[in-house]
Amino acid sequence: RKEVEQDPGPFNVPEGATVAFNCTYSNSASQSFFWYRQDCRKEPKLLMSVYSSGNEDGRFTAQLNRASQYISLLIRDSKLSDSATYLCVVRDNFGNEKLTFGTGTRLTIIP
Amino acid sequence: EPEVTQTPSHQVTQMGQEVILRCVPISNHLYFYWYRQILGQKVEFLVSFYNNEISEKSEIFDDQFSVERPDGSNFTLKIRSTKLEDSAMYFCASSEVGTSGNNEQFFGPGTRLTVL
């Protein structure tokens, strides 16, 4: 089983739509969770951390379900500039700083 | 805004040659990392470095790889004898602290390594 699994997409959605991404992780000891975004041929950039209680940052909402080992990202009122690959990322604290990345879900917003 | 920088942006080398990829982490950061991303694949962890020593490395980081912090600002990744399968984008990252809280790892723009 992959450590971090995502639907690779692509997701093609019209501007203004709401889109949701899902991710599952295999290590129940994982402690920190993030969504990164990666534009074509660029470096990953942190979009938001994911907290146990769920958190929102503007149009973006992240949820974590530890029991199901499931993370989600919701983008409301999507913009053309949201087109990118969204990476689900997990870190197992306990002295490990490494980030474990999913393969990413590619999103294209259509005008 | 402070950022991680990497040089060169693109390196082309012949199989069997040694390459050194350079990174300048953000100045007050203490933890440094190398990741790689083969074209079309996921980002993979290679190594983390703290207090002038490797704190963790992956299975990819074999004897052909080494890291060094030769001075107070640079952090380098050396590949001793490159193979075709080393062709990838190599990202350097740094963070202020290690595992406490959801602290962010900041990534550099990457070095694209092409092994011919």
Side-chain angles (χ1 to χ4, degrees):
Chain A
R1 184 181 170 186
K2 291 180 186 175
E3 290 180 275
V4 179
E5 199 150 358
Q6 296 182 249
D7 181 341
F11 284 36
N12 300 314
V13 303
E15 196 174 2
T18 296
V19 59
F21 302 132
N22 303 317
C23 165
T24 56
Y25 59 96
S26 61
N27 187 351
S28 59
S30 297
Q31 292 294 309
S32 301
F33 309 92
F34 311 90
W35 284 101
Y36 276 72
R37 91 169 252 167
Q38 186 175 31
D39 293 292
C40 189
R41 297 181 179 269
K42 300 284 190 182
E43 73 272 26
K45 290 186 178 177
L46 181 66
L47 179 65
M48 59 196 302
S49 301
V50 186
Y51 301 110
S52 297
S53 54
N55 48 299
E56 189 173 304
D57 183 2
R59 299 181 292 109
F60 300 85
T61 301
Q63 298 277 351
L64 169 65
N65 184 323
R66 285 187 185 270
S68 303
Q69 294 176 210
Y70 171 93
I71 308 162
S72 66
L73 176 69
L74 187 77
I75 306 176
R76 290 182 300 280
D77 187 24
S78 52
K79 312 285 185 202
L80 295 176
S81 57
D82 294 333
S83 297
T85 297
Y86 289 82
L87 309 175
C88 179
V89 183
V90 169
R91 186 175 68 206
D92 307 327
N93 281 15
F94 307 122
N96 297 333
E97 301 95 5
K98 73 171 187 181
L99 298 178
T100 301
F101 286 78
T103 51
T105 300
R106 188 168 173 185
L107 172 67
T108 301
I109 305 300
I110 303 164
Chain B
E1 185 178 329
E3 57 184 19
V4 177
T5 59
Q6 291 186 244
T7 54
S9 56
H10 191 188
Q11 173 92 48
V12 181
T13 190
Q14 295 289 328
M15 191 169 57
Q17 295 296 304
E18 174 183 287
V19 294
I20 297 176
L21 310 183
R22 302 179 192 280
C23 168
V24 179
I26 294 173
S27 63
N28 64 330
H29 285 187
L30 301 176
Y31 290 79
F32 314 117
Y33 315 84
W34 284 101
Y35 293 82
R36 80 169 186 192
Q37 186 174 31
I38 295 170
L39 188 63
Q41 298 187 24
K42 65 179 181 178
V43 177
E44 299 175 288
F45 169 79
L46 293 178
V47 66
S48 58
F49 191 86
Y50 168 69
N51 201 24
N52 283 318
E53 60 183 26
I54 291 173
S55 50
E56 188 182 3
K57 59 183 180 180
S58 71
E59 291 176 355
I60 303 166
F61 195 88
D62 61 21
D63 292 344
Q64 293 301 308
F65 291 87
S66 62
V67 289
E68 194 178 28
R69 187 154 164 82
D71 53 43
S73 60
N74 289 283
F75 178 52
T76 62
L77 174 70
K78 183 193 289 187
I79 309 175
R80 260 179 274 283
S81 177
T82 50
K83 307 184 192 69
L84 294 176
E85 54 265 36
D86 293 328
S87 295
M89 181 74 95
Y90 287 81
F91 293 109
C92 175
S94 69
S95 65
E96 194 170 352
V97 294
T99 58
S100 59
N102 285 342
N103 64 86
E104 182 177 354
Q105 288 185 22
F106 291 82
F107 283 75
T111 292
R112 180 166 298 282
L113 177 65
T114 302
V115 182
L116 302 176

